[in-house]
Amino acid sequence: MIDLRSDTVTRPSSAMRTAMMEADVGDDVYGEDPTVNQLQDDIAALLDTEAALFTPSGTMANQIALHVLTDPGDEVIVDATSHIYNYETGAAGMLSGIQLHPVSTSNGLLTPDAVEAAIRPEGAVFPRSRVVALENTANKAGGRVYSLEHIHAVVEVARSHGLRTLLDGARLWNAAAATGADMANYAAPFDLVWVALSKGLGAPVGSVLAGSANHINAARRVRKRLGGGMRQAGILAAAGRYALAHHREQLVTDHAHARRLARAISALPAFELDVDTVETNIVIFDTPHASAQTIADELASEGIGLTPFGPHTLRATTHRDVSSDDIDTVIHTLRTLYR
Ligand SMILES: *Cc1c(COP(=O)(O)O)cnc(C)c1O
């Protein structure tokens, strides 16, 4: 199967598995796993933060970060398309007693004006606006990229009102690959930032949360409380370290594959897509004349996996387990079925 459903479907290569097998390990709840410690140091260095913490998933990294940055009753401003708002099972309300304030934007990227308008005034009746959380790249919006200038403008509004800031960097690697911006520059404006090892980088498990030593110490306690304290986790961290060393370059190729696929899709009358919106490895397009599920089912029977993202919307995601030949095959199949 040519699996374009998500960039989470990648499987560890044999070289990555060898790195996992050979990892030095210890008990990470005691802080004694050398491979986990090395991975955390690597990410802290890359993002230029004081400290970092390995987490089992990006969802846990988001929820730990929200817990550290808020008190119950606080409000967190997010884009209406954000992962925190749409795909985390209502965890923020349940685990941290906070409410989310989703803001609708034209392209999934929060603007300074939209954030300014969403911040609550002082007053006895209002929730306290406490955090602005951005997603770079913005997944549900089609892998859109925030520029550094855009981020600085949004964060400046947040800071001028005393709000804290969080960056969901599940695909920050892709943003950096697309713009050439430095990862540390992308991370600098935020109180907490995390990156995923298990999306485009192709590791089987894990994310890393980064920030000040104080915040990361607090985060370690929350991780334990959520059941995320793992023991010989170096087996997993080794895969992440291998991915960091060997898989970042591939992202540029993934982006080129996505653009090539997008151009072919936009040329077919059955579909609607503005190619200019495809900046990274995610292609979201509309199927105005048929249900997305029907088309996904038809393509599945041809051995091609896409994800329905709405009644008339599909998502295709490129990643390291999809080759240039695979993209040719997908394009050929689309042209044959949906001329
Ligand atoms: C995948 C993803 C997450 C969650 O990561 P998991 O490791 O799947 O829990 C969070 N935010 C964004 C933008 C994502 O794409």
Side-chain angles (χ1 to χ4, degrees):
M1 164 149 161
I2 301 174
D3 199 345
L4 299 169
R5 289 173 304 160
S6 174
D7 49 9
T8 55
V9 301
T10 54
R11 294 190 174 84
S13 64
S14 57
M16 181 181 277
R17 287 170 194 255
T18 301
M20 298 171 76
M21 193 171 69
E22 292 175 348
D24 262 346
V25 296
D27 190 327
D28 182 49
V29 174
Y30 295 167
E32 291 174 3
D33 189 300
T35 308
V36 170
N37 289 338
Q38 190 61 56
L39 172 67
Q40 291 172 168
D41 289 349
D42 292 346
I43 296 288
L46 191 77
L47 299 178
D48 195 20
T49 61
E50 284 176 357
L53 184 73
F54 187 50
T55 65
S57 70
T59 300
M60 193 186 284
N62 267 334
Q63 295 305 323
I64 291 170
L66 291 174
H67 199 83
V68 166
L69 297 176
T70 61
D71 292 306
D74 285 348
E75 192 169 74
V76 173
I77 296 169
V78 291
D79 190 274
T81 62
S82 65
H83 198 281
I84 287 173
Y85 183 55
N86 291 285
Y87 300 121
E88 300 191 7
T89 65
M94 183 182 164
L95 299 174
S96 297
I98 55 179
Q99 81 184 8
L100 302 176
H101 186 153
V103 173
S104 294
T105 55
S106 63
N107 61 0
L109 305 182
L110 285 172
T111 61
D113 287 349
V115 169
E116 180 91 52
I119 294 173
R120 307 282 187 169
E122 306 253 335
V125 298
F126 300 112
R128 174 170 60 169
S129 302
R130 197 71 184 285
V131 174
V132 176
L134 304 188
E135 199 176 294
N136 199 12
T137 68
N139 164 39
K140 196 174 160 67
R144 300 303 297 267
V145 178
Y146 279 94
S147 68
L148 279 174
E149 299 70 43
H150 189 155
I151 284 179
H152 282 292
V154 173
V155 168
E156 186 164 312
V157 170
R159 291 234 184 276
S160 72
H161 290 271
L163 273 65
R164 299 166 172 179
T165 54
L166 164 64
L167 176 61
D168 172 341
R171 296 188 181 82
L172 192 61
W173 314 104
N174 297 85
T179 61
D182 192 68
M183 293 283 283
N185 289 340
Y186 262 139
F190 295 93
D191 290 303
L192 282 169
V193 46
W194 65 268
V195 290
L197 303 164
S198 58
K199 300 268 164 98
L201 281 199
V205 175
S207 288
V208 183
L209 178 66
S212 70
N214 275 345
H215 278 143
I216 295 301
N217 283 339
R220 188 179 304 278
R221 286 180 61 77
V222 179
R223 184 186 68 174
K224 184 72 175 116
R225 191 177 295 146
L226 296 178
M230 299 184 287
R231 301 295 178 173
Q232 283 72 40
I235 299 269
L236 303 174
R241 294 199 71 216
Y242 183 90
L244 269 179
H246 300 284
H247 290 178
R248 285 185 67 188
E249 280 119 66
Q250 168 73 27
L251 299 175
V252 175
T253 306
D254 294 345
H255 297 177
H257 287 164
R259 271 194 303 278
R260 193 149 68 79
L261 181 60
R263 279 196 296 273
I265 288 170
S266 74
L268 292 169
F271 305 130
E272 273 175 15
L273 168 64
D274 175 358
V275 179
D276 290 340
T277 64
V278 178
E279 299 177 312
T280 56
N281 69 324
I282 297 175
V283 182
I284 294 183
F285 60 101
D286 292 331
T287 61
H289 313 298
S291 92
Q293 189 61 57
T294 302
I295 292 182
D297 291 345
E298 285 167 2
L299 288 169
S301 67
E302 301 286 329
I304 295 168
L306 298 186
T307 298
F309 242 45
H312 293 279
T313 306
L314 284 167
R315 184 184 76 167
T317 310
T318 58
H319 53 76
R320 55 181 299 101
D321 288 359
V322 174
S323 69
S324 185
D325 285 351
D326 290 338
I327 296 295
D328 289 340
T329 302
V330 173
I331 290 173
H332 177 78
T333 306
L334 291 174
R335 285 183 180 150
T336 306
L337 292 178
Y338 305 111
R339 252 175 313 161

